[in-house]
Amino acid sequence: MSKITYIGKLLRDKEISCTELTEKYIKSIEAENKKLNAYVNITAETAMKTAKNVDEKISRGEILLPLEGIPMTLKDNISTKNIETTCCSNILKGYVPIYDATVWDILKNQNAVLLGKANMDEFAMGSSCETSCFGGALNPYSTNHVAGGSSGGAAAAVGGNIAVYGLGSDTGGSVRQPASFCGLVGLKPTYGTVSRYGLIAYASSLDQIGPITTSVEDAAIVYDAISLYDKNDATSQGSKTKTTHTLKNSIKGMKIGIAKEYFEGIRDDVRESVESAVKVYESLGAEVVSISIPQLKHALPVYYILACAEASSNLGRYDGIRYGYKTPSYNDINDMICKTRSEGFGKEVKRRIMLGTYVLSAGYYDAYYKKAQQLRGALVNAFKDAFKKCDVIVSPTVPMTAFELNFTQKDPIETYMTDILTVPVNIAGLPAVSVPCGFDNKGLPIGMQIIGNSFDDAKILNAAYQYEQAVKNHTFKELETGVRL
Ligand SMILES: NC(=O)C[C@H](N)C(=O)O
């Protein structure tokens, strides 16, 4: 039984009240958050109020929805009405949204218990959570290592057992990479299946919200709840299928594509773990097919050109007039905007705004931005061809395991390179899930990535579930099973 299912059952069977459950989680957060820095804002009052509503519903004998009463967290770039939403940037400190993001609106209506807002890289720009103005979230497996990024806080909270699940956003790996670093499941859904309305934009054509959970079944439960069509998001399509319905299907005959380009420059132990996982697939009756996607070599520069270009445009709105921070002393409006942005944004965000402005400027647009868009089209077509030969593509999620603290502060290019395996699906709008597949010799988790064709979210979750069930028994029973009771 998955953790969400198990806790839901405890509530329905009245073995624990939602108030008691929530109190226990809040107490754990007070103790553990000092160590993990997973939460940047604890919303105990909101959580207790929701818990009370759930208990009243239970006492009236009403049926609970799957996520009702389950304690969870949201990345701090998901807008929450009347609750501060900062993107972990000094420029947005004190900003309190006047509306809810659609994903939070859906979950709030289902009485999801929001424990707090989770730490992240500033405006989701980073791979370690260390660009957060609140300092980075640490890895529950080793506090000498980062939780990953940018949704590091949500991964640290779920991995550290101070939230049952979290919602992150994935522009170039921000859900899958921290999930991989913290031994969790992270789903980046097909672009358009989950509404982006109220997600504070970084790179709109790449951003997608997704769940971070302790099991594949939980990821499917959360995805099914949030993947609804939303008229407020022009790119919204919703999901056509319920992924929980096909999770347990046999994968006999499923074609697993292995592209050699995804295994170049990977650390040996990571490669070996994924290769062993592929053997598990063969033992389950899946067929392994070799494929090649040469266009993958362009993915990283294409991503960093497009993401920075979109960021430079999206972040133009932080001018000291409309949102958050405003410099205290200035001469005129230009001076005010210049000082506000210089003082409010961190180093990495400034770097990306400048890179983005450069690639969009007259004289450079054709050489960089236009070329990147053309290569984006080529990668989309290359994936289309690849999926004529296989059902899913398997690769490592990250070329290594969790970084030591401060690794990403040293060299931005070296840090960007670690996103090499996660960015291609964002460029092509495809779904991908990271699922734990082993540990390195320091005991740090390794993640395997399963990529699907557009709208094949159910297929990749089915493949992830079958692997997970084959390698471990995911039942959550009593205290030692990981439920905070
Ligand atoms: N936002 C993301 O998906 C993280 C990625 N490393 C980036 O900095 O763009």
Side-chain angles (χ1 to χ4, degrees), residues 75 121 123-128 149-150 169-177 202 207 303-304 307 348 352 415-416 418-419 422-423 426:
K75 185 174 180 177
D121 279 297
F123 282 102
M125 297 177 193
S127 305
S128 66
S150 63
S169 64
D170 191 312
T171 308
S174 275
V175 162
R176 289 160 288 155
Q177 188 255 35
Y202 158 20
D207 299 337
Y303 173 80
Y304 274 98
E348 184 59 32
R352 297 199 191 190
T415 305
Y416 297 170
T418 64
D419 291 341
T422 47
V423 298
N426 300 80

Side-chain angles (χ1 to χ4, degrees), residues 262-277:
Y262 269 121
F263 289 81
E264 284 159 8
I266 305 305
R267 218 173 66 189
D268 284 348
D269 51 349
V270 174
R271 188 177 33 79
E272 282 157 18
S273 285
V274 177
E275 282 167 358
S276 314

Side-chain angles (χ1 to χ4, degrees), residues 5 71 98 141 152 156-157 248 299 351 353 433 442:
T5 314
I98 54 166
Y141 280 85
K248 295 176 185 167
R351 182 180 356 256
I353 291 173
V433 60
K442 290 190 200 137

Side-chain angles (χ1 to χ4, degrees), residues 259-294:
K260 61 176 186 304
E261 293 83 1
Y262 269 121
F263 289 81
E264 284 159 8
I266 305 305
R267 218 173 66 189
D268 284 348
D269 51 349
V270 174
R271 188 177 33 79
E272 282 157 18
S273 285
V274 177
E275 282 167 358
S276 314
V278 172
K279 292 218 168 72
V280 173
Y281 275 123
E282 283 180 308
S283 75
L284 292 171
E287 189 190 326
V288 175
V289 288
S290 292
I291 56 169
S292 172
I293 311 177

